[in-house]
Amino acid sequence: MPLQKISREEMIFTSAQVFRKQGYHNTSMNDLAEACGLTKGIFYHHFESKEELMKAVLHGVHLHFKTTLFALAYSDKLTPEEKLEKFLAKAQRMFSKNEGGCLMANTALETLSSLPEFAPYLKEFFQDWIDAMAQIYSAVYQEEKAKRIAEQSVQEFEGAVMFLRIFGDKRYMDDMLERAKLRLTLV
């Protein structure tokens, strides 16, 4: 295979896809270099280790979600109902189109006991997701209640993604989305 010119950002994006499909421990630097169309030596020139690369992937995925999904919760141009509808619809599309589910949740389950250095990246991602959902729910609930409902919604969303993958039935996601919307109207 001829070597390609590829940016650091493209390497991170491509590596995220490989990690999502194969998991962290089942992915070698050779797998990642090959997916990027590079030799392992050139790949190591950009990232000294798989751990360093995974940190860059987790950071990159977080930034992507922050700008494309979480930002919806802070829009001044949408009602709380519109924010929630757009937020959840976009989240569903983002997780449904990616083979392997949620990279962040998968990485947390796979690595937290063996690679605690990923924990801050994962915690920050999920905290931003909770904060975004709490921002939406704060339109109708006090801050503490909005945060608890947001935490529950994020937990349910991740569980729905997992059940969708296990059972191949989108009913789990649909049910979760309906409950999240209902919480906005039950004051």
Side-chain angles (χ1 to χ4, degrees), residues 70-90:
F70 302 159
L72 288 171
Y74 302 96
S75 171
D76 293 333
K77 298 176 181 172
L78 301 171
T79 67
E81 294 79 13
E82 291 170 329
K83 288 179 188 180
L84 186 64
E85 181 72 35
K86 288 182 182 294
F87 189 98
L88 294 174
K90 186 165 194 141

Side-chain angles (χ1 to χ4, degrees), residues 129-130 148 150-160 176:
W129 188 354
I130 291 165
R148 283 197 318 274
E151 289 170 344
Q152 183 179 12
S153 295
V154 172
Q155 292 170 33
E156 281 189 66
F157 191 93
E158 287 293 343
M176 179 276 152

Side-chain angles (χ1 to χ4, degrees), residues 39-165:
T39 65
K40 200 161 65 168
I42 292 173
F43 207 82
Y44 273 111
H45 175 73
H46 292 280
F47 300 98
E48 291 183 15
S49 66
K50 189 166 76 166
E51 291 82 10
E52 180 188 335
L53 172 61
M54 183 53 120
K55 288 176 184 178
V57 165
L58 295 173
H59 178 73
V61 168
H62 182 189
L63 286 180
H64 175 72
F65 272 80
K66 204 171 189 174
T67 58
T68 61
L69 179 63
F70 302 159
L72 288 171
Y74 302 96
S75 171
D76 293 333
K77 298 176 181 172
L78 301 171
T79 67
E81 294 79 13
E82 291 170 329
K83 288 179 188 180
L84 186 64
E85 181 72 35
K86 288 182 182 294
F87 189 98
L88 294 174
K90 186 165 194 141
Q92 183 179 18
R93 283 192 309 275
M94 290 173 88
F95 286 102
S96 297
K97 74 177 182 178
N98 291 320
E99 185 180 338
C102 175
L103 173 68
M104 301 304 239
N106 294 349
T107 302
L109 292 172
E110 182 184 4
T111 66
L112 282 180
S113 63
S114 59
L115 294 160
E117 60 263 34
F118 297 155
Y121 296 90
L122 298 163
K123 184 177 181 180
E124 185 178 10
F125 170 81
F126 284 106
Q127 189 61 60
D128 279 355
W129 188 354
I130 291 165
D131 291 346
M133 293 292 291
Q135 174 69 24
I136 295 170
Y137 285 120
S138 70
V140 294
Y141 294 103
Q142 296 289 328
E143 183 179 339
E144 197 54 41
K145 176 97 173 173
K147 183 179 179 206
R148 283 197 318 274
I149 291 170
E151 289 170 344
Q152 183 179 12
S153 295
V154 172
Q155 292 170 33
E156 281 189 66
F157 191 93
E158 287 293 343
V161 169
M162 181 181 68
F163 273 46
L164 172 67
R165 298 277 177 208

Side-chain angles (χ1 to χ4, degrees), residues 31-42:
D31 295 334
L32 297 164
E34 189 174 299
C36 292
L38 302 171
T39 65
K40 200 161 65 168
I42 292 173

